[in-house]
Amino acid sequence: MNTKGRLLSQLKAKNGGWISGEVLSGEFGISRAAINKHVQKLRKEGYVIESCTKKGYILKASTSRLLANEICEGLNTKVFGKERIVHFDETDSTNIRAKELAIKDAPEGTVVIAERQTAGKGRKQRSWFSPPGDGIYASLILRPPIPPSDAPGITLMTAVAMADALVLLTRLPIEIKWPNDLLIRGKKIAGILTEISTEMDSVDYIVVGLGLNVNIPSELFPKSLRKTATSILIESGGNFSRIKILKTYLERFEDYYEMITRGQFGPIMVKWKEFATVIGKRVLIEEISRKYTGRVEDVDDTGVLIVRDDQGTFHRVFSADISYL
Ligand code: BTN
């Protein structure tokens, strides 16, 4: 760990208590002026550190940014967030950045995070509203030993991983809307964009991008989104720690991902169905070339929707927009 990191650990270890510049300078073998320079750097990263000539330094508040060292601290994973974390204060899209890294052989488990996206991408060429500091915009690089046909399972398990994390931390009533939207009381709180690159019959890489509206107040949403989108702040009335949510998500993600790489889709689908609201519902299905109405009979183990249309014909739906009727 570098000196700045060690200094931060010392400040954190004091649990809101003071630590003298003299003690720090003795411990690190550097001048008090050098200690002060590292304190300035930490302040620039968003840590609130007060100083007093007689008492030294005190950490008043941690940074609110999703910095790599904050993500790593106490993270209970083996791969995700343990390999490489790339943090941007601003970028066009974390999925675009993650794909660039994946092409350059970035390892599985790489996490790309942004505080703000200027061109956040949604499914079907839509955009993803990504204001600074209030959401989670995270893309993960995976290199799963599965055939491309099993890739939709990754999107489903991502939804389950985030749903699990949110229920655990917020106790809010999370629903999953097929295939990959997370809703609260019918409004969208999170979306997932999975992008895959294949080589012959195998997966080269998958980038799973997740956008979650955490502390976004309703007035910040564009008017066009207010009826359909929501945030944890709006639904719970309080601010939630983005870092806690992100870490819990990564931990749940890794657990489910290990199951998928062992070929165990079944238990994930059971969990998915616990959160899903779609089975048994009358729906309008909008595919690229056709629209029809019917009833959702089931979702199979690979995430394909089984719909019986109003004429009684069964359809296997791989990708579509669905609306509840
Ligand atoms: C959707 O519901 O349409 C999918 C939204 C996915 C948004 C996330 S935010 C992080 C990642 N980067 C992007 O550009 N998109 C995904």
Side-chain angles (χ1 to χ4, degrees), residues 79-80 108-109 141-152 154 157 196-199 201-206 253-254 256-265:
V79 177
F80 290 91
E108 171 158 278
I141 296 177
L142 325 177
R143 299 192 184 274
I146 58 170
S149 54
D150 284 351
I154 300 275
M157 60 138 280
I196 177 167
S197 165
T198 55
E199 262 172 24
D201 281 346
S202 65
V203 172
D204 175 18
Y205 67 79
I206 296 181
F253 187 96
E254 185 163 293
Y256 288 123
Y257 183 63
E258 278 178 357
M259 291 167 84
I260 284 213
T261 55
R262 288 197 298 261
Q264 298 168 342
F265 283 93

Side-chain angles (χ1 to χ4, degrees), residues 221-237:
F221 280 104
K223 279 212 176 89
S224 56
L225 287 181
R226 279 186 207 160
K227 277 204 177 117
T228 52
T230 190
S231 71
I232 296 179
L233 169 68
I234 297 168
E235 297 302 320
S236 69

Side-chain angles (χ1 to χ4, degrees), residues 92-96 117 119-123 126 128 130 136-139 180-181 188 190-193 209-211:
D92 47 0
S93 151
T94 55
N95 265 36
I96 293 177
Q117 297 183 118
K121 297 196 296 172
R123 282 171 64 234
R126 294 181 190 124
W128 184 257
S130 313
I136 292 177
Y137 319 112
S139 301
N180 51 9
D181 290 348
K188 184 156 166 173
I192 297 158
L193 179 64
L210 178 131

